[in-house]
Amino acid sequence: MNQGSMPELSWEAVDRLAAAVAAAGRRAGLPYVAVQSDLGDPKPMTDGNGHAYAESLPWVDAGAAYWRDRALALRSSFLLAARVFAEPIWFAEGRLGSWRPTHSLDAIDCSRVTEEFGYTGAIIAPAHLAGGQVGAVVWVTTAPIDIPAIFAAHAAEMFTTALQFLAAHSELATRRRRLTPATLSPREAQCVRWAAAGKTNAEIAAILSLSVSTVRFHLRNAAEKLGAATRARLIQLATAMGFLGRHV
C-alpha cells in the first residue's frame, strides 16, 4: 500500500483503537483498563470532544473518578514501572515481571497492590513515544487468573494495540495544540536552558537582566508552543527537540 492510499488519521479512528484496547483486555480475562498517553500530564487523556476516556472505559470502581487524582501517576507502582521499562509487564502475587529476566522492575514495591486495590493480576503496556513522552495502558482483573499463561498468549497483541492507540492519540493531540512545528525564540530557548540547569525564575531573571514576570512570560510561551503542562515536561521536550543543544 502506498502512502497516498492510507486513510487520514482521525479522532474516530483513535476511538476505534480505544475500543480495541478494551476488547483486547476482555479477551485476555483482564476486563478493566486505564489509559494515559502522557504520564507527565496531570490532566486525564481525552477524546476529540474533550471527554476523558476514563469515563467510558471500564474500571474496577468507576464511581471513584480516579482520573481526577493528579498525584496518581506519581504514586502508582504500575505507572512507575512503565516509566522505567519499555516492554510489556505483568503483575501477579505482589510482584512485577516481563517476558525476560530484568532487574529494572526489582525495586518497585507491588507487595500491597492486591490488599489495597483488589487487583489480582495485571498487564501493563508502556509506550515510549516521540519527544521523550511516556504513556501506558494498564489492564487489571480482580478475579483469580493465570498470569504467566495469559501473558504468553496475549501480551504481544495487547502491547501492539496499546502502542498504536497511544501513538495515534499523541499525534492528534499534538496537531490540535499546534498545526506547525514548534520553534522557540532565542530568548525563550535561553530561559528554558537556564531552567534545565536548575535555576529558579528569580535566578534566571538576574542572570539575563530581566524581570521575573518576563521570565515567566517566556517560559509560559515556550510551554504552550511545545505542548508542555509542567516545567519538567517543558525541559524534557525542549531537550528532545534539540533546543538545549547550544551553550547559553
Side-chain angles (χ1 to χ4, degrees):
M1 179 183 293
N2 60 51
Q3 188 173 6
S5 63
M6 295 178 66
E8 179 69 18
L9 184 62
S10 66
W11 284 108
E12 290 76 13
V14 173
D15 287 344
R16 288 193 294 272
L17 286 169
V21 162
R26 290 193 298 271
R27 286 193 296 273
L30 297 155
Y32 306 114
V33 59
V35 300
Q36 181 63 301
S37 59
D38 184 358
L39 300 185
D41 190 343
K43 299 185 293 295
M45 183 178 177
T46 59
D47 61 20
N49 295 316
H51 301 140
Y53 280 110
E55 296 183 270
S56 57
L57 293 173
W59 191 244
V60 178
D61 183 4
Y66 70 91
W67 59 92
R68 295 185 183 138
D69 184 350
R70 290 173 177 257
L72 179 65
L74 299 178
R75 295 202 317 267
S76 170
S77 54
F78 290 171
L79 299 188
L80 176 58
R83 290 179 183 274
V84 302
F85 196 68
E87 299 156 60
I89 303 163
W90 54 257
F91 163 78
E93 298 179 348
R95 64 191 184 94
L96 298 169
S98 188
W99 64 274
R100 62 178 174 85
T102 175
H103 295 298
S104 301
L105 304 173
D106 292 347
I108 300 176
D109 183 9
C110 291
S111 60
R112 295 178 56 83
V113 166
T114 300
E115 178 184 346
E116 292 182 358
F117 303 106
Y119 313 153
T120 54
I123 290 179
I124 303 131
H128 291 244
L129 304 171
Q133 182 172 315
V134 179
V137 173
V138 179
W139 296 269
V140 305
T141 184
T142 58
I145 194 170
D146 184 354
I147 276 290
I150 288 173
F151 189 83
H154 296 277
E157 176 202 359
M158 295 168 78
F159 181 70
T160 300
T161 304
L163 183 59
Q164 290 174 330
F165 170 51
L166 296 177
H169 181 277
S170 178
E171 180 172 333
L172 279 189
T174 299
R175 287 185 196 174
R176 183 164 57 186
R177 287 193 297 265
R178 60 180 187 272
L179 297 178
T180 58
T183 56
L184 300 186
S185 71
R187 186 63 88 184
E188 289 165 353
Q190 202 172 30
C191 289
V192 175
R193 285 197 292 272
W194 280 116
K199 302 299 183 182
T200 65
N201 289 354
E203 289 170 333
I204 296 171
I207 292 167
L208 300 179
S209 299
L210 301 172
S211 68
V212 173
S213 61
T214 299
V215 171
R216 289 198 196 101
F217 172 78
H218 289 311
L219 290 175
R220 185 169 58 249
N221 281 351
E224 290 177 357
K225 287 179 178 180
L226 300 188
T230 65
R231 191 183 188 97
R233 181 66 175 148
L234 169 60
I235 293 167
Q236 181 186 45
L237 286 173
T239 302
M241 297 174 72
F243 289 114
L244 308 189
R246 298 186 299 276
H247 294 295
V248 178

